[in-house]
Amino acid sequence: MPTCLITATNRGIGFELARAALERGWTVFGSVRSGEAARETANKLGTGYEPLIFDVRDRKALADAAAALSASLDLLINNAGIIGPSRQTPTDMDFDGFAETLSVNTLAPLAVSQAFLPHLRSSGMAKILTISSQMAWMGYRKSDTLAYRASKAAVNKVMQGLATALEQEGIPVALIDPGWVQTDMGGPAADTPPADVADGVMKIAETLTLSGTGRFFKWTGEERPF
Ligand SMILES: NC(=O)c1ccc[n+]([C@@H]2O[C@H](COP(=O)([O-])OP(=O)(O)OC[C@H]3O[C@@H](n4cnc5c(N)ncnc54)[C@H](OP(=O)(O)O)[C@@H]3O)[C@@H](O)[C@H]2O)c1
C-alpha cells in the first residue's frame, strides 16, 4: 500500500486530498495542529489515516514528528498555507504578517521536505508536490495580496531548486496550481469544489515522473507557466 504525508489535513484542500488518497488505497499520514483536530479528522477520515501533530513553522516539532515516523513515504504533499495579513499592498504592508506568510508558504514546504527526506529516500519511488497558486504568476502586474503572491512565487523557486537537487536521486518535485477553490481561503464563490481539485492532484501524484520534475501544473494536469 503506498504511503503519503499531506500537510494541513483538517480542512480545505488538505482534508479532501487525504480523503481522495484514502479512496485510492493510500495510507495517509496527515498533519494537523492540535490533538483535538487530530481526533476530529481521524474520526471523519477513518481507517488508513494517521494524524501527525505539528505546526509547519516549528522545526523542532517537524524533527520530532519525523523521528517518530518509521514508515517510508512514497509521496509528500506540501499543502498548508495562509493568505497573509489584511494589509499587504506595496504601499501599506504589515511586515510581520508578510514574514509569517513567507514562513508558512515558502520556508515551511522546504523544511517539511527536508525533515522527511530520509523517509522519502527510503521509499525508492518517492515524489514531492507543493500546492502553489496562480497568484504566483510573474505575468501578473497586480498589487493586491502582495505577501501571498510573493510567498507563492518564492516557493516555486525553492521547489524548482529542490527538484534539481533531487533529480539524481530519482525523486520528482512539482508544483500545483489548484485554481480558485471553495474553501475557507477561497470562499464560497470560488470556481471549484476542493474534492474535484483533490482528485486531480492525486492523479498528478500517481502519474508524475522525472520528466515532470521542476514543473508547474494546473490541478487538471496541464503544464502552466511560472
Ligand atoms: N482556496 C484557494 O482558492 C487556493 C488557491 C490557490 C492556492 N491555494 C493553496 O492551497 C493550500 C490549501 O488552501 P485551502 O484553500 O485549503 O486553505 P484553508 O481552507 O484556509 O486551510 C488552510 C490549512 O492550512 C493549515 N495551516 C495554516 N497555517 C499552518 C501552519 N502554520 N502549520 C500547519 N498548518 C497550517 C490550516 O490549519 P488550521 O486549521 O490549524 O489553521 C488549514 O488546515 C494553501 O497552500 C493555499 O495557499 C488555495
Side-chain angles (χ1 to χ4, degrees):
M1 213 182 270
T3 301
C4 63
L5 169 59
I6 301 168
T7 60
T9 47
N10 57 308
R11 60 188 170 103
I13 296 171
F15 178 81
E16 294 298 338
L17 280 170
R19 183 147 70 184
L22 289 165
E23 276 172 15
R24 288 164 173 268
W26 292 72
T27 296
V28 177
F29 294 97
S31 88
V32 294
R33 286 204 277 179
S34 68
E36 191 186 346
R39 279 188 296 281
E40 280 176 9
T41 310
N43 281 341
K44 287 184 203 158
L45 289 173
T47 310
Y49 173 80
E50 298 286 339
L52 302 182
I53 301 174
F54 57 79
D55 185 307
V56 294
R57 294 167 299 180
D58 183 341
R59 311 264 203 285
K60 165 83 167 59
L62 283 180
D64 290 348
L69 184 69
S70 54
S72 51
L73 293 173
D74 305 309
L75 172 67
L76 164 64
I77 304 182
N78 288 301
N79 164 74
I82 55 173
I83 195 67
S86 53
R87 291 187 301 108
Q88 51 171 314
T89 71
T91 52
D92 183 17
M93 178 60 75
D94 169 351
F95 284 98
D96 290 340
F98 192 171
E100 191 199 351
T101 309
L102 289 168
S103 175
V104 176
N105 293 357
T106 309
L107 276 58
L110 184 62
V112 173
S113 303
Q114 288 189 2
F116 291 93
L117 199 50
H119 305 77
L120 293 159
R121 282 181 168 137
S122 72
S123 146
M125 47 176 275
K127 307 170 188 188
I128 300 175
L129 294 181
T130 296
I131 309 296
S132 181
S133 170
Q134 58 188 334
M135 289 170 74
W137 186 45
M138 292 303 286
Y140 280 142
R141 296 185 68 226
K142 300 195 184 221
S143 62
D144 65 284
T145 336
L146 189 61
Y148 182 77
R149 291 177 189 283
S151 72
K152 292 296 191 179
V155 82
N156 285 356
K157 179 49 78 179
V158 165
M159 287 295 146
Q160 186 189 52
L162 186 64
T164 303
L166 296 182
E167 192 166 4
Q168 284 184 341
E169 298 187 46
I171 301 177
V173 179
L175 290 140
I176 303 292
D177 159 12
W180 186 25
V181 195
Q182 293 157 9
T183 63
D184 292 339
M185 185 186 289
D191 294 328
T192 320
D196 293 4
V197 171
D199 254 356
V201 174
M202 284 312 298
K203 278 185 197 138
I204 295 171
E206 288 173 347
T207 55
L208 183 71
T209 64
L210 272 186
S211 66
T213 204
R215 298 190 175 180
F216 192 10
F217 297 98
K218 292 185 184 173
W219 66 275
T220 46
E222 303 142 60
E223 189 172 2
R224 57 151 300 142
F226 284 95

